[in-house]
């Protein structure tokens, strides 16, 4: 793929996103409501480590639910893909990201590590003897994926911890069902902290490019996770990365992705690149309105959809 094609796709993708309006910043966490709504950033990082960016691509924002992907990766390294599937699941819930109904319907099994219940159960499986060692492992993992030290925003964390009553209830529901694999208070605490780190669209694209490159960070050249763990992680993203809109995303874009209520959107083109965007206003499913437009534009412009045959091989008549 030519450099100029990616550059053009990123430039026109930013303009396409800026041309749409609608949505609303998440306001259930006070910090998120305070982020300027007009910011839009877009970045592509390829598996050879080249970065393309436009707009507010270096603006630091709260990673929120996109963190679920990287804590999943950490836990998969620790317990293996089969145990992740058995304990956390790999299916869409068809319900909102913080649904307790989904848990009740499935005897306390979260179905996916990418919804809150599954992410809290995932946090309960993070190696470490106490909350601080578990948290250090999560932060180290995010940093290795990003290729630079990722840090907690004390302001976002304070805002999240002061309002995370629903997630604490989910922690105890998991615990009572036997699907929280450690202290639920510790699990919810580190889950809340993992959502409160700051990343830019360039960071997110680098994190995704590490998945696209089979687990090797294309900028630092460090192996972050085993290559065998990339396909199940991308499968989880395809199934539940956009919550109740995951099917729509698969239908229209066809790339594994993940959203966060901070306004981040990440999509991975296996073997080639990751595309990431940031724009705070969200739609009803909790996904960035402009971020989805920006990422979808780049994917379409570059002709990247996992379900589209790249080179049709003629069959004998
Ligand atoms: O658990 C929460 O409420 C947040 N800290 C993260 C949620 C989130 O990003 C959901 N996604 N779109």
């Amino acid at each position: 793929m030519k450099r100029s094609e990616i550059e053009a796709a990123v430039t026109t993708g930013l303009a396409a996103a800026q041309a749409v309006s609608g949505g609303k910043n998440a306001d259930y966490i006070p910090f998120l409501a305070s982020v300027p709504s007009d910011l839009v950033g877009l970045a592509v990082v390829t598996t050879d480590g080249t970065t393309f960016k436009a707009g507010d691509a270096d603006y630091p924002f709260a990673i929120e639910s996109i963190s679920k992907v990287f804590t999943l990766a950490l836990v998969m390294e620790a317990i293996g893909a089969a145990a992740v599937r058995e304990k956390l699941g790999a299916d869409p819930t068809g319900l909102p990201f913080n649904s307790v109904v989904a848990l009740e319907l499935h005897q306390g099994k979260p179905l996916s590590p990418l919804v809150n219940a599954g992410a809290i159960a995932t946090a309960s499986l993070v190696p470490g003897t106490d909350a601080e060692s578990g948290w250090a492992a999560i932060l180290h993992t995010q940093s290795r994926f990003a290729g630079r030290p990722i840090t907690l925003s004390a302001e976002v964390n304070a805002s999240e911890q002061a309002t995370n009553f629903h997630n604490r209830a989910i922690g105890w529901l998991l615990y009572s069902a036997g699907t929280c694999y450690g202290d639920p208070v510790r699990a919810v605490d580190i889950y809340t902290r993992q959502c409160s780190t700051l990343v830019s669209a360039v960071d997110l694209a680098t994190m995704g490019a590490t998945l696209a490159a089979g687990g090797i960070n294309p900028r630092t050249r460090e192996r972050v996770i085993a290559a065998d763990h990339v396909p199940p992680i991308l499968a989880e993203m395809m199934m539940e990365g956009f919550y109740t809109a995951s099917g729509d995303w698969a239908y229209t874009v066809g790339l594994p992705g993940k959203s966060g209520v901070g306004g981040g959107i990440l999509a991975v083109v296996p073997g080639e690149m990751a595309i990431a965007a940031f724009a705070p206003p969200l739609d009803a499913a909790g996904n960035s309105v402009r971020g989805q437009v920006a990422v979808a534009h780049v994917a379409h412009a570059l002709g990247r959809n996992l379900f589209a045959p790249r080179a049709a091989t003629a069959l004998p008549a």
Side-chain angles (χ1 to χ4, degrees):
M1 165 136 316
K2 284 199 208 116
R3 205 191 149 88
S4 58
E5 286 178 71
I6 305 178
E7 266 164 13
V10 168
T11 305
T12 53
L14 183 78
Q18 285 167 333
V20 297
S21 55
K24 195 167 159 294
N25 282 34
D27 57 8
Y28 72 103
I29 297 164
F31 175 88
L32 299 179
S34 73
V35 178
S37 301
D38 57 349
L39 296 169
V40 192
L42 177 57
V44 168
V45 173
T46 56
T47 49
D48 68 2
T50 310
T51 302
F52 302 83
K53 61 182 179 174
D56 303 302
D58 292 310
Y59 188 93
F61 61 91
I63 189 170
E64 296 294 345
S65 278
I66 303 170
S67 66
K68 290 167 175 160
V69 172
F70 305 102
T71 305
L72 164 64
L74 168 64
V75 166
M76 201 176 283
E77 291 292 292
I79 68 172
V84 162
R85 184 171 168 218
E86 188 243 310
K87 289 179 189 300
L88 304 167
D91 284 305
T93 66
L95 287 161
F97 68 89
N98 56 1
S99 176
V100 292
V101 174
L103 259 189
E104 292 297 298
L105 285 174
H106 300 96
Q107 296 74 48
K109 186 171 178 184
L111 297 192
S112 166
L114 301 187
V115 294
N116 284 18
I120 293 166
T122 306
S124 78
L125 290 162
V126 167
T129 46
D130 56 15
E132 292 319 310
S133 55
W135 165 239
I138 289 174
L139 200 55
H140 186 55
T141 301
Q142 289 190 11
S143 301
R144 291 171 74 212
F145 270 100
R148 72 167 189 94
I150 296 296
T151 54
L152 180 80
S153 160
E155 194 185 350
V156 178
N157 186 45
S159 194
E160 300 253 350
Q161 299 277 4
T163 52
N164 68 352
F165 312 113
H166 192 91
N167 286 338
R168 287 186 226 167
I170 290 175
W172 284 113
L173 279 177
L174 289 165
Y175 190 71
S176 73
T179 47
C180 190
Y181 303 98
D183 176 3
V185 175
R186 167 191 184 266
V188 173
D189 175 29
I190 60 177
Y191 163 74
T192 305
R193 288 197 245 178
Q194 78 178 39
C195 292
S196 306
T197 61
L198 295 180
V199 290
S200 65
V202 171
D203 289 326
L204 272 190
T206 309
M207 295 166 98
T210 302
L211 292 170
I216 296 174
N217 183 312
R219 292 168 91 180
T220 63
R221 310 275 158 178
E222 182 194 3
R223 174 162 291 287
V224 180
I225 59 167
D228 285 357
H229 289 161
V230 171
I233 292 169
L234 297 183
E236 299 272 14
M237 291 167 76
M238 186 64 97
M239 289 294 109
E240 189 62 327
F242 288 77
Y243 305 113
T244 49
S246 300
D248 286 321
W249 181 262
Y251 196 100
T252 55
V253 182
L255 293 176
K258 185 73 201 84
S259 67
V261 291
I265 298 279
L266 169 65
V268 177
V269 186
E272 293 191 279
M273 69 184 76
I275 313 164
F278 157 64
L282 309 178
D283 64 17
N287 302 321
S288 168
V289 172
R290 289 171 145 180
Q292 289 177 90
V293 170
V295 173
H297 179 99
V298 173
H300 291 149
L302 299 179
R304 295 300 187 263
N305 176 330
L306 279 196
F307 304 123
R310 288 281 295 285
T313 310
L315 291 173

